[in-house]
Amino acid sequence: MKCKILLLLILMIFSKPLLGLKFINGLEDIPLFKNMEYVDDSLVLFDKVDGRYVSTEVRGNYNYDEVISFYKKILPNLGWKEIKPLIFERSKEILELKTTVSQNEISIIFSVYPSK
């Protein structure tokens, strides 16, 4: 399993310039859905003894179901297991997606923190 994740990450890193893939700021192994945009100054990053704490926000004019379906499909391929709706676990970390929808725009805050 770890070999598959490592291989996928290597392929993603080296194919990034070729495919024009973008990744979420602070979470370089999680791809950005289509042309969603990073919210300026939303990145908060702390490395502590017990693990990393990352929070960053993206938004775009996309359908909620389409965006959430993308992340529910892609995250397990990156080693994240959904343990509750929009809460994933990998190794000793939790990834939580908090969404807000306003008219046609969806905003997602991605938060990573150590699992207990």
Side-chain angles (χ1 to χ4, degrees):
M1 178 66 159
K2 289 182 181 181
C3 290
K4 288 182 183 179
I5 293 170
L6 182 60
L7 179 60
L8 180 60
L9 291 174
I10 290 170
L11 289 173
M12 290 170 67
I13 290 168
F14 288 109
S15 65
K16 181 179 174 181
L18 299 175
L19 299 176
L21 292 176
K22 293 182 181 179
F23 294 86
I24 295 173
N25 288 356
L27 302 170
E28 283 74 21
D29 65 336
I30 299 177
L32 194 59
F33 178 76
K34 294 187 178 180
N35 289 320
M36 289 186 82
E37 295 181 359
Y38 170 69
V39 175
D40 291 334
D41 299 325
S42 71
L43 178 61
V44 177
L45 175 63
F46 292 103
D47 277 322
K48 298 184 103 182
V49 174
D50 61 342
R52 66 180 176 154
Y53 293 81
V54 181
S55 179
T56 190
E57 183 176 2
V58 298
R59 66 176 157 214
N61 292 322
Y62 296 101
N63 175 279
Y64 173 88
D65 292 332
E66 182 182 13
V67 175
I68 296 307
S69 176
F70 170 79
Y71 284 110
K72 284 186 169 218
K73 184 177 178 181
I74 197 77
L75 290 173
N77 290 318
L78 299 172
W80 293 100
K81 179 183 176 188
E82 190 168 19
I83 56 173
K84 292 182 183 176
L86 300 182
I87 298 177
F88 299 83
E89 185 174 32
R90 179 176 75 183
S91 298
K92 297 181 180 179
E93 290 187 315
I94 300 292
L95 169 63
E96 187 172 354
L97 283 63
K98 295 179 185 172
T99 63
T100 306
V101 178
S102 173
Q103 294 177 336
N104 291 334
E105 183 174 84
I106 182 171
S107 172
I108 305 174
I109 297 173
F110 291 84
S111 299
V112 171
Y113 48 88
S115 60
K116 295 181 181 182

